[in-house]
Amino acid sequence: MLGAGVALVALLAAGCSSGAHAAAGRRSPSAVVSAVPPASGNCPLTDLPPPSGVSVTRPILAVKIDDSIPAADPQQGLDQADIVYDEPIEGNLDWFLALFQCGNPSTVGPVREAEIEDPSILSQYGSVLYGYASDVPAAVALAINQTAAIVSVNSGRDGPAYSRSGPHSAPYNLFADTATLRSTAVVTATTLSAPAPQFKFRATQVPTPAPSPSASQVSFTLGPNISYKYNADSNSYLRFEDGNPMMAASGNQISVSNVVIVWAQINQSTIIDGAGNAQPLPVLTGQGQAMVLTGGREYDGQWTRPGVTQALSFVDSSGRPIAFTPGTTWIHILPSTEAAYVS
């Protein structure tokens, strides 16, 4: 079965072996798709033309956004992020690290606290404005302050950019005004720049996907039970959580051009929450197993990242760069023992 074969990708990352992995890989036709850098004048993280009034040379604004319980829904601005890291947090829950470079929502949230792995993830992007709720453990604050790439625009330092609103109680009602975050940061830092392109994209002459996709759905557990279903009309994947469509505050279902799963070693940090849960610490340097769903097809291969200041990149089973579809990318960090099922 296809689902069973794909599930073994995670087991292989943990050191097991099975011939089923080759069967899953046969659905990865990377040899026929050209992978090229973003076109000149397009957004470096999406290879799309920028929205009106947005410069492709502006820096990333990263914001930590909640996804842990229904009180965090619906999220504002998340559907406009260029890249989203879906990260495991303590208590077997997940939060989002959302990157807005060309994405241009006016408001984002609910904003939550930075996690210990965030400075390492953000270091690959050159210079980043980072918005988060300021009540963080000392070890996290120290890691952020010691990371040259990060300009902190948190709720303590840049309070006027943040406000509490909506029907939910704290901490699920903190939102940030993105224009104020950016204008505040310009005053305090003059070394901000646009990120280098992270992915290679499909060449413009590549035809549209076949009407019968070979990978129309993927499901796995990261906090909630998550699934993505391919929509051929939009050439994108619709996100579901626990069987329900994940809706943004805009009224749109979360729709993603590229769904990425990285299997990584996840250590337990020394940061313990009030319930006694340790904050997870994913190791996202080195290399590991990866899966990319794009254009209705599955590409099995590896993620690679030699060091914290170098970009996380993806190659297929033959070592060639995987060609992403121009648009948004969501990257999901799973432990090596967690299975993902594709059908």
Side-chain angles (χ1 to χ4, degrees), residues 8-301:
L8 287 173
V9 175
L11 301 181
L12 285 165
C16 300
S17 60
S18 172
H21 182 243
R26 282 199 293 269
R27 292 178 292 154
S28 302
S30 54
V32 299
V33 180
S34 298
V36 297
S40 176
N42 280 358
C43 301
L45 300 182
T46 65
D47 195 23
L48 294 177
S52 176
V54 172
S55 171
V56 298
T57 63
R58 73 178 185 175
I60 289 172
L61 169 63
V63 182
K64 200 57 174 278
I65 297 178
D66 201 336
D67 188 45
S68 58
I69 64 172
D73 302 334
Q75 291 86 354
Q76 290 194 27
L78 187 63
D79 52 340
Q80 297 186 50
D82 299 49
I83 296 174
V84 174
Y85 287 86
D86 195 349
E87 304 174 343
I89 66 165
E90 55 272 26
N92 295 317
L93 302 172
D94 71 317
W95 284 353
F96 300 124
L97 181 60
L99 277 53
F100 303 92
Q101 199 266 335
C102 279
N104 199 41
S106 59
T107 305
V108 292
V111 181
R112 293 306 305 265
E113 297 79 16
E115 295 276 306
I116 190 63
E117 72 269 21
D118 295 343
S120 173
I121 292 174
L122 295 176
S123 290
Q124 65 187 297
Y125 295 104
S127 55
V128 178
L129 312 174
Y130 187 23
Y132 57 94
S134 59
D135 185 19
V136 298
V140 176
L142 180 62
I144 292 172
N145 292 335
Q146 292 180 338
T147 302
I150 295 177
V151 175
S152 177
V153 285
N154 63 59
S155 63
R157 178 174 179 175
D158 297 274
Y162 293 84
S163 61
R164 294 194 181 273
S165 62
H168 302 307
S169 60
Y172 309 108
N173 61 356
L174 181 65
F175 296 87
D177 181 279
T178 60
T180 304
L181 288 178
R182 288 187 179 276
S183 64
T184 302
V186 169
V187 174
T188 59
T190 58
T191 58
L192 301 173
S193 60
Q198 181 171 1
F199 311 122
K200 298 291 181 67
F201 293 91
R202 294 169 177 262
T204 55
Q205 66 269 24
V206 173
T208 56
S212 298
S214 59
S216 61
Q217 180 172 326
V218 62
S219 59
F220 52 89
T221 299
L222 178 54
N225 294 316
I226 296 169
S227 62
Y228 287 91
K229 298 180 181 180
Y230 180 66
N231 183 295
D233 292 338
S234 61
N235 193 22
S236 65
Y237 294 84
L238 301 175
R239 180 171 167 121
F240 295 78
E241 294 191 351
D242 293 328
N244 300 310
M246 182 179 178
M247 308 300 292
S250 63
N252 298 321
Q253 186 173 357
I254 295 294
S255 177
V256 182
S257 302
N258 307 287
V259 176
V260 179
I261 298 174
V262 300
W263 283 278
Q265 176 182 330
I266 299 182
N267 298 327
Q268 298 300 304
S269 75
T270 58
I271 300 171
I272 308 298
D273 69 8
N277 301 306
Q279 194 172 110
L281 180 57
V283 179
L284 289 182
T285 53
Q287 63 183 25
Q289 295 286 333
M291 178 193 296
V292 176
L293 270 68
T294 186
R297 297 188 181 276
E298 172 200 344
Y299 295 81
D300 298 319

Side-chain angles (χ1 to χ4, degrees), residues 308-324:
V308 294
T309 61
Q310 294 172 283
L312 184 67
S313 60
F314 300 91
V315 296
D316 65 17
S317 56
S318 299
R320 292 180 292 263
I322 294 175
F324 283 50

